[in-house]
Amino acid sequence: MPREAEPSLNERAFVIQALQEGQRIDGRAFDQFRKLDLRFGDQYGVADVTLGKTRLLAKVSAEVTAPYTDRPFDGIFTITTELSPMASPAFEVNRPTETEVLLSRLIEKTVRRSNALDLESLCLVAGQKCWSVRVDLHVLSHDGNLIDASCLAVVAALRHFRKPDTSMEGDTVTIYTPAEREPVPLSWLHSPFCVTFSFYGENGEMMLVDANLLEEQLRVAKLGGTAVEGTSLIQCASAAVARVKEFSTLVDAKLADDLKRRDKGGLLAELSAENER
Amino acid sequence: MAVQADRVFVLPGDEVPAALIPSHPKKALKLGPGLRHVPPSELIPTVAGQLATDHKKNSIWVEYNGGRYIPAVGDLVICSVQRSGPDYYYVTITDYTPNAILPQLAFEMATKKTRPQLNHGALVYARVCLANRHMDPELECVSPTTGKADGLGPLVGGMLYDISLGMSRRLLMRKSVEEGKVAVLDELGSAGLAFETAVGRNGKLWVNSESVKTVLIVGRAVKETDENHLNVEQQKKLVRKLVKEMN
């Protein structure tokens, strides 16, 4: 397996020295993100996120299956991440690297286990039929900060997604094609976002957001966690709140734009069979 | 690449017009990179790019901005040391490709006792002295005829930037301002910045200076010129902007 290319000694020393003088290699401020862009595809549930040179594609799909026997009232929700050799030659198909395992675990934690998606609303017939929602996340180009970008991509794709409308008559479930009834959005409870902070220096005294690949390779990396000053933790939290608000407004604005683009002649509201609840 | 109006753009497999092939009464025709000779007398481009000719040297080649560097004898490259063997350093010229070898005695004034000690991750500026297909390339940091280093050897300090292969070729041209259309380094120098650079044909640029800010500005200026395909006027404007921002 090819190992990830490591930065040279000169680069290591220089990046740290520049950080000590308050400079980043690409000229950004310590708390500045790279250019973030979000685009939706022609289909429902396709989100394409670009963050600097990092690019990700999330695709949501849904099908009807039998629920798990221990959870008869819940639907199924899975997220699969794929770091293909297209992103970096160090990635191999079917052999997850440490980056990939960490990424999928974190996405799982933030989106799935925080109950952002109401699983009970995916149930059709208790114990027999439910929706299985699946998110496929593809990393197209890897230049650091995959976590923040992929979390944004997954959340945006899920909020953009529409599943086919269904109706119940006695024991029969009818699934309507988009031509018959306008598809309905998922029951979305809250939008979680990630903001990653990278620490540098011997005691982790320098703090960056949105580290690129080179900066990511040089940061203090402790998987079990490391001791951080209480004050810097509070600083991080308040910076993260401001950043997450920006993410949230970006996604809202892009979703509204996309809806406007699709809603030709203002017919979407009439086509919808959804009722206000 | 700098676009020149009189050059023809070719695609892989195209037919090279006979009128463009230089003919010299005495010298044999020399084929450069990107062209393949199919006997008896057919020339086929193997890459997309501009067809360039030199009538004095009776040579023809294709100028392209390709993805991966393929070593050729005489090229100057910046490589990083992977490990050290008994007689050789194993170095990478391009990431994720097999190592090249650099003999430990191929440095200026090197003997068994005075050879440089290079650790994993150290950068070396070297010349390719052996490059065959299906063989690991061999490098040297000293001219075999004169025994002088001519500026080659370990690079200490500074910062390494990745640039495109076309950009590194333009920077390495003898008249880089006229032929290569890169004035950015000259402009930075005349703006009063003191720095030194080394350009590797493998798409690497090493910049060193007393001040960190200067290194950052030089690196950013070259990378922006490369990525946004700036012409000479735009490069001058960029340099003025960056120097203004620094002060």
Side-chain angles (χ1 to χ4, degrees):
Chain A
M1 183 165 90
R3 273 199 306 174
E4 199 178 333
E6 290 173 6
S8 64
L9 293 176
N10 305 46
E11 285 167 273
R12 280 168 194 276
F14 184 81
V15 170
I16 299 295
Q17 197 195 341
L19 285 179
Q20 273 161 354
E21 294 190 14
Q23 301 274 341
R24 276 173 93 163
I25 297 301
D26 44 11
R28 282 183 286 154
F30 278 17
D31 59 347
Q32 195 184 348
F33 260 65
R34 285 171 285 177
K35 196 172 173 293
L36 179 65
D37 192 23
L38 169 65
R39 267 172 295 168
F40 292 108
D42 288 336
Q43 279 181 311
Y44 281 124
V46 179
D48 181 346
V49 170
T50 11
L51 179 65
K53 280 183 185 162
T54 296
R55 187 168 176 192
L56 298 136
L57 185 83
K59 168 95 175 78
V60 186
S61 49
E63 57 173 359
V64 176
T65 48
Y68 295 126
T69 44
D70 56 335
R71 296 191 159 274
F73 303 109
D74 283 358
I76 299 171
F77 177 36
T78 45
I79 304 174
T80 49
T81 46
E82 193 174 293
L83 271 66
S84 67
M86 183 163 57
S88 155
F91 300 137
E92 234 176 314
V93 179
N94 293 332
R95 198 184 284 179
T97 54
E98 199 182 89
T99 331
E100 184 168 356
V101 175
L102 283 176
L103 177 69
S104 61
R105 267 179 57 90
L106 207 77
I107 296 295
E108 190 96 335
K109 255 195 238 172
T110 29
V111 184
R112 213 162 78 93
R113 288 206 236 141
S114 71
N115 286 327
L117 181 62
D118 178 19
L119 287 186
E120 280 183 21
S121 71
L122 298 176
C123 180
L124 294 170
V125 182
Q128 288 176 26
K129 287 276 176 280
C130 72
W131 283 109
S132 158
V133 175
R134 176 193 163 103
V135 186
D136 286 283
L137 182 72
H138 297 276
V139 177
L140 305 181
S141 162
H142 177 21
D143 190 26
N145 206 8
L146 286 180
I147 289 169
D148 298 6
S150 51
C151 194
L152 186 86
V154 168
V155 168
L158 282 165
R159 285 185 56 183
H160 186 245
F161 182 63
R162 303 276 186 279
K163 68 179 188 322
D165 200 4
T166 53
S167 72
M168 289 276 290
E169 271 171 51
D171 278 351
T172 52
V173 180
T174 323
I175 299 171
Y176 297 101
T177 59
E180 289 168 325
R181 274 195 196 177
E182 188 61 22
V184 289
L186 299 170
S187 159
W188 190 250
L189 300 178
H190 57 95
S191 301
F193 293 107
C194 294
V195 180
T196 312
F197 293 88
S198 308
F199 289 87
Y200 297 84
E202 279 183 13
N203 307 313
E205 62 272 6
M206 289 167 292
M207 186 175 81
L208 302 187
V209 294
D210 190 24
N212 64 24
L213 187 59
L214 177 62
E215 288 167 340
E216 235 172 42
Q217 284 173 321
L218 303 178
R219 69 180 167 199
V220 181
K222 285 190 181 157
L223 296 188
T226 180
V228 193
E229 288 278 329
T231 47
S232 66
L233 191 71
I234 293 168
Q235 257 179 4
C236 287
S238 57
V241 168
R243 185 65 59 194
V244 164
K245 276 183 189 154
E246 279 172 35
F247 284 167
S248 179
T249 35
L250 174 83
V251 173
D252 286 346
K254 292 280 179 183
L255 280 170
D257 274 359
D258 187 70
L259 194 68
K260 213 181 272 171
R261 187 168 63 89
R262 283 166 196 278
D263 193 8
K264 287 205 181 90
L267 287 171
L268 219 55
E270 278 178 47
L271 283 170
S272 167
E274 234 186 338
N275 49 359
E276 298 277 337
R277 251 177 297 213
Chain B
M1 272 288 98
V3 177
Q4 289 186 6
D6 54 333
R7 285 190 182 164
V8 177
F9 183 79
V10 287
L11 288 169
D14 269 0
E15 208 172 291
V16 177
L20 291 176
I21 301 172
S23 56
H24 196 274
K26 281 174 199 155
K27 283 180 190 160
L29 184 68
K30 258 191 188 171
L31 295 186
L35 284 173
R36 191 193 167 111
H37 175 223
V38 178
S41 63
E42 207 179 345
L43 283 184
I44 293 177
T46 54
V47 288
Q50 293 171 330
L51 199 66
T53 49
D54 187 334
H55 285 278
K56 259 187 213 156
K57 291 180 184 158
N58 202 26
S59 59
I60 182 166
W61 70 95
V62 181
E63 288 278 6
Y64 63 100
N65 194 356
R68 186 201 279 192
Y69 171 69
I70 297 159
V73 173
D75 279 352
L76 298 174
V77 293
I78 297 176
C79 49
S80 72
V81 175
Q82 287 301 306
R83 60 198 167 85
S84 139
D87 296 323
Y88 298 106
Y89 289 119
Y90 294 90
V91 298
T92 41
I93 298 176
T94 319
D95 290 338
Y96 308 110
T97 53
N99 288 339
I101 54 172
L102 172 64
Q104 297 194 347
L105 296 179
F107 291 87
E108 192 182 29
M109 305 290 285
T111 61
K112 280 266 179 202
K113 281 178 187 157
T114 61
R115 64 191 183 196
Q117 296 294 321
L118 299 174
N119 294 322
H120 171 81
L123 291 180
V124 185
Y125 196 28
R127 187 190 303 113
V128 179
C129 62
L130 182 77
N132 290 329
R133 203 177 280 183
H134 313 305
M135 267 178 80
D136 287 350
E138 202 173 313
L139 310 174
E140 62 186 7
C141 287
V142 66
S143 162
T145 46
T146 59
K148 290 266 166 39
D150 298 332
L152 302 179
L155 297 172
V156 185
M159 175 67 190
L160 190 69
Y161 289 95
D162 285 321
I163 53 177
S164 71
L165 294 191
M167 187 68 188
S168 62
R169 177 164 155 70
R170 283 161 65 191
L171 284 169
L172 280 170
M173 278 177 182
R174 221 164 279 258
K175 293 178 206 151
S176 66
V177 181
E178 290 89 33
E179 280 176 32
K181 310 272 185 248
V182 270
V184 65
L185 291 182
D186 292 11
E187 285 294 315
L188 285 163
S190 54
L193 300 181
F195 59 91
E196 55 176 331
T197 59
V199 184
R201 185 68 182 85
N202 55 341
K204 305 274 185 202
L205 172 74
W206 175 82
V207 186
N208 193 17
S209 168
E210 295 271 296
S211 95
V212 169
K213 270 187 183 172
T214 309
V215 177
L216 289 172
I217 281 187
V218 174
R220 211 174 300 153
V222 176
K223 282 203 89 161
E224 255 178 61
T225 306
D226 186 16
E227 279 161 16
N228 303 333
H229 310 288
L230 301 184
N231 61 29
V232 175
E233 275 310 307
Q234 287 167 320
Q235 288 171 32
K236 284 180 182 169
K237 214 167 141 193
L238 173 74
V239 169
R240 276 201 296 275
K241 196 188 94 191
L242 286 173
V243 171
K244 210 181 195 178
E245 270 174 26
M246 188 179 78
N247 297 327

